[in-house]
Amino acid sequence: MKKIILVSLLLMVSLVGFAQKGRHAVGVDVAMKAYDAGHDEIFGMFGGLFFGVKYQYNFHDYFRVEPSYQRKQDDKAGYTDIFGVNLHGFFMSPRPFRPYAFIGVGGGQAEYDLPDATYNKYDETEFYMQAGVGVDWRIGYRLSWQLEVGGNISIAPIISTGLTYGF
């Protein structure tokens, strides 16, 4: 029994040690989201060009978590906000150029005032899961660039790029 408790304590201490050695980064991104026209009656709500901010935390050499927020302001009287959290799994140890796979969940909120539509006010909430691949290139000691290509169950294909500043 003492050995089990000792091993459990050592395991917890080692996991906490990994969590404290992580790299933090904040950044901006631009995402081009294609739109599945059969999914919604009003074309383009959750598709188009989105601008956003993100935070990255490498809790291990091979894993990173990335919460993000993206927004699209439309020339129509409306906007779309998307919040998400992705888990990145790197294929190799830390180096300047690293490919990774990601999986994530999130949600979006669209509000539009459409004078030509049947309903003048349009409000929709979407939840999604996404997955894909990407590359992380460390341009300098603190600056990194990411390029991602993936798919989304409710929104369709996504291409995203962004810069992060690590600290």
Side-chain angles (χ1 to χ4, degrees):
M1 184 67 170
K2 290 181 184 180
K3 289 181 183 179
I4 293 173
I5 293 173
L6 180 62
V7 169
S8 299
L9 287 172
L10 288 174
L11 182 62
M12 286 176 24
V13 168
S14 68
L15 290 176
V16 169
F18 276 127
Q20 292 175 348
K21 293 179 185 177
R23 180 176 187 259
H24 301 269
V26 293
V28 295
D29 67 348
V30 177
M32 180 61 159
K33 299 174 188 288
Y35 180 74
D36 180 6
H39 180 71
D40 202 314
E41 67 217 82
I42 297 179
F43 185 82
M45 268 304 149
F46 289 95
L49 192 61
F50 286 78
F51 297 94
V53 294
K54 59 186 173 182
Y55 167 76
Q56 296 174 338
Y57 177 60
N58 295 355
F59 59 90
H60 190 273
D61 284 343
Y62 290 92
F63 296 101
R64 170 171 71 198
V65 65
E66 179 189 75
S68 64
Y69 165 76
Q70 296 173 335
R71 184 177 181 99
K72 175 181 81 168
Q73 188 73 36
D74 208 316
D75 56 351
K76 304 173 191 173
Y79 65 90
T80 304
D81 292 321
I82 294 180
F83 300 91
V85 177
N86 290 332
L87 177 66
H88 298 176
F90 291 97
F91 298 127
M92 55 184 68
S93 63
R95 56 190 69 196
F97 188 81
R98 293 200 304 168
Y100 60 90
F102 68 89
I103 186 166
V105 295
Q109 172 73 29
E111 289 187 13
Y112 283 81
D113 185 13
L114 304 172
D116 299 336
T118 306
Y119 302 103
N120 288 346
K121 286 279 191 187
Y122 188 80
D123 184 3
E124 183 176 342
T125 302
E126 293 268 339
F127 294 98
Y128 66 86
M129 290 181 60
Q130 68 181 10
V133 294
V135 292
D136 186 275
W137 179 37
R138 291 202 55 188
I139 298 169
Y141 180 71
R142 298 211 184 266
L143 194 63
S144 294
W145 174 70
Q146 294 87 34
L147 177 65
E148 295 179 349
V149 177
N152 192 306
I153 292 173
S154 66
I155 300 176
I158 299 168
I159 297 174
S160 176
T161 187
L163 286 172
T164 58
Y165 178 79
F167 53 94

